[in-house]
Amino acid sequence: MTSVLFASEYYPPFAPGGAEWSTAAWAAALARRGHRVTVVTPNYGAAPREERDGATIIRVPFPVKLRPGPGEARWIVHRNPIFHLYLAGQIRRAARASGAEIIHAQGKAALVGAWLAARALRRPVLVTIRDLGLLCPLGHCPVFEPWERFDCSTAQYLGKCVPYHLAHYATGLGRLGRARVRVSALAAWVDHRLRQRILSRADGVIGVSEGILAVYPTRLVSAARCRVVYNLPPRVAAPSDAQARAARDRLGIGSAPLVLYAGKLSLGKGTPVLLEALDRIAAAVPGARFVLAGKGEMAIPARPDLRALGVLAQPELFALYRAADVVVVPSVWPEPLSRVLLEAMRIGRPVVATAVGGSPEAVEHGVTGLLVPRQDPEALAKAVIELLLDPERRERMGRAAAQRALTVFDEERLVGALLDAYREAASA
């Protein structure tokens, strides 16, 4: 039996994105196999201690409060020495009490605290890379730069990333508001350099795909310390046909062809690319309907064939997957390994995704779905149209996707890979 401590700046029910649900899935998977899992995370307003799916969740006192769901704390909250030192002390205390042999930073903001605690206890520390957050605090570079391997510099960050953020994500702010964003961005960069220094010293690095590790420079993640361990697919039964029909009825679309986009509405996720493709799809497939499910402040055009539903509870979202004819993941940035892809595959839906990051490792082109170039609305529309007009092909791809989720993303195999990574780090 292995005793492991997960450290994360968020943990369900406080979950700004898919990373937190992935962490919870790993805690449950390890516990099911008899391993001891302790999770240390700030308490934003829940029980200070609980047992969930066999894991012990310790929520340490924290001044910031959030509502359960996708809300986030302000930037500076997790980007300062006080937070790192405080979390390090709490992790060290919990690790001693639980007898943790491994400390695993599941969230990038927990990396510094996890590393400090691990060094104090002489325990190995690992970090999971799920996005570009340890390359750039803003992560906008892939949207406007053609790089294949990203290594944001101070000049790039201040000269391009911050102005891009102000232009696209901080609109409507006055002079004082924009000045605050600049100050926060500068403070984030100082903290970012500390995180990178710690990343380069971690005993093990786990990437959720080959694609996401490939964009990191070797000075930060040398091949000798890296392992790929894919995200776990959801352990849910596929919704029934009746649940799918009910989801369609709630939307008032009946049996019309349905295209689903699930995820954050943003430039990096490719939302504008999909919106640009809608007219082509609608012209080729009369009566087609489009649904967007996810958070975001992006302006969505008003049109009768498009519905933006906001954030949905998982049961509602999974029923929508089953109701959809095609699920679209049009990412522009190097998508690490989208949970949307894994969820759609698990439920047996064909997908159209861009060939970026880890997506080609999930989607087998022409078998479980179709891959298209990023930022190409014409190619995206063409692929969606092909599937909407060919129900037999959709059905065949959906079955293949569900089977791939059971084999390539088999839980037993993935847990074994994670434990191998722990053993390697412990013996290094």
Side-chain angles (χ1 to χ4, degrees):
M1 180 187 79
T2 300
S3 179
V4 58
L5 184 146
F6 285 178
S8 181
E9 62 271 26
Y10 296 106
Y11 195 82
F14 309 102
E20 292 72 39
W21 295 107
S22 293
T23 301
W26 276 114
L30 287 170
R32 277 193 293 274
R33 286 155 182 81
H35 301 288
R36 184 174 184 179
V37 182
T38 303
V39 180
V40 174
T41 186
N43 191 349
Y44 302 103
R49 186 184 183 99
E50 68 171 307
E51 300 294 323
R52 176 186 290 191
D53 296 327
T56 301
I57 318 302
I58 299 174
R59 296 189 178 91
V60 301
F62 207 62
V64 176
K65 300 305 174 188
L66 299 171
R67 292 181 179 179
E72 296 181 68
R74 292 181 179 273
W75 254 20
I76 201 64
V77 168
H78 302 134
R79 294 179 177 276
N80 63 83
I82 296 175
F83 172 75
H84 298 321
L85 291 172
Y86 171 69
L87 191 61
Q90 295 291 340
I91 293 170
R92 185 170 64 247
R93 180 185 303 171
R96 279 177 176 159
S98 65
E101 305 158 69
I102 299 285
I103 295 178
H104 188 163
Q106 291 279 0
K108 52 187 173 287
L111 172 58
V112 177
W115 187 86
L116 290 171
R119 288 297 173 263
L121 296 172
R122 297 185 178 180
R123 303 281 193 275
V125 61
L126 293 90
V127 58
T128 290
I129 289 179
R130 289 192 173 91
D131 54 30
L132 301 181
L134 291 170
L135 283 178
C136 176
L138 293 169
H140 299 323
C141 304
V143 179
F144 57 81
E145 294 284 11
W147 304 340
E148 292 183 1
R149 185 180 293 273
F150 300 95
D151 199 1
C152 194
S153 64
T154 303
Q156 167 82 14
Y157 180 73
L158 297 178
K160 292 185 178 181
C161 297
V162 174
Y164 185 90
H165 183 82
L166 288 168
H168 294 89
Y169 292 91
T171 56
L173 296 179
R175 183 177 299 176
L176 181 59
R178 293 171 69 84
R180 286 175 177 167
V181 171
R182 287 192 180 93
V183 171
S184 295
L186 183 59
W189 182 255
V190 173
D191 186 75
H192 170 74
R193 301 302 287 183
L194 172 62
R195 294 186 190 185
Q196 286 198 331
R197 188 175 182 85
I198 298 301
L199 174 63
S200 68
R201 297 183 176 189
D203 298 296
V205 176
I206 295 172
V208 298
S209 67
E210 294 280 1
I212 192 61
L213 288 180
V215 302
Y216 272 72
T218 54
R219 68 179 178 85
L220 294 178
V221 291
S222 64
R225 295 183 299 120
C226 290
R227 261 186 175 272
V228 173
V229 182
Y230 293 136
N231 286 330
L232 293 169
R235 283 174 58 90
V236 295
S240 65
D241 289 341
Q243 290 172 305
R245 284 194 299 270
R248 282 175 166 269
D249 290 343
R250 284 193 296 272
L251 294 172
I253 61 176
S255 60
L258 175 58
V259 178
L260 173 65
Y261 169 101
K264 186 176 182 180
L265 310 181
S266 71
L267 297 171
K269 289 289 187 179
T271 315
V273 181
L274 174 60
L275 295 176
E276 192 175 340
L278 295 190
D279 284 341
R280 292 183 177 90
I281 300 171
V285 186
R289 296 292 183 267
F290 309 95
V291 170
L292 310 180
K295 68 178 182 178
E297 299 178 358
M298 178 172 290
I300 303 300
R303 47 188 295 164
D305 58 358
L306 175 63
R307 292 281 301 276
L309 303 181
V311 178
L312 298 179
Q314 280 195 334
E316 293 179 85
L317 179 59
F318 291 164
L320 264 183
Y321 282 130
R322 186 73 182 90
D325 294 292
V326 178
V327 177
V328 181
V329 182
S331 306
V332 173
W333 77 310
E335 190 71 56
L337 188 64
S338 169
R339 284 191 64 82
V340 173
L341 289 179
L342 299 185
E343 290 165 354
M345 290 169 62
R346 176 68 180 80
I347 293 171
R349 295 294 87 190
V351 299
V352 173
T354 44
V356 295
S359 296
E361 296 165 59
V363 180
E364 190 175 358
H365 179 65
V367 178
T368 67
L370 298 175
L371 294 169
V372 299
R374 71 176 194 147
Q375 292 187 318
D376 190 337
E378 186 173 350
L380 183 69
K382 181 175 182 292
V384 172
I385 292 166
E386 284 182 17
L387 293 185
L388 289 180
L389 295 179
D390 193 341
E392 291 184 4
R393 191 182 187 196
R394 292 200 310 270
E395 186 67 25
R396 187 169 63 250
M397 283 186 167
R399 289 195 301 269
Q403 183 60 37
R404 185 170 175 80
L406 292 174
T407 53
V408 175
F409 301 98
D410 171 66
E411 180 175 295
E412 194 70 38
R413 188 176 69 82
L414 295 181
V415 169
L418 181 63
L419 293 174
D420 286 344
Y422 289 165
R423 282 189 285 268
E424 284 185 8
S427 63

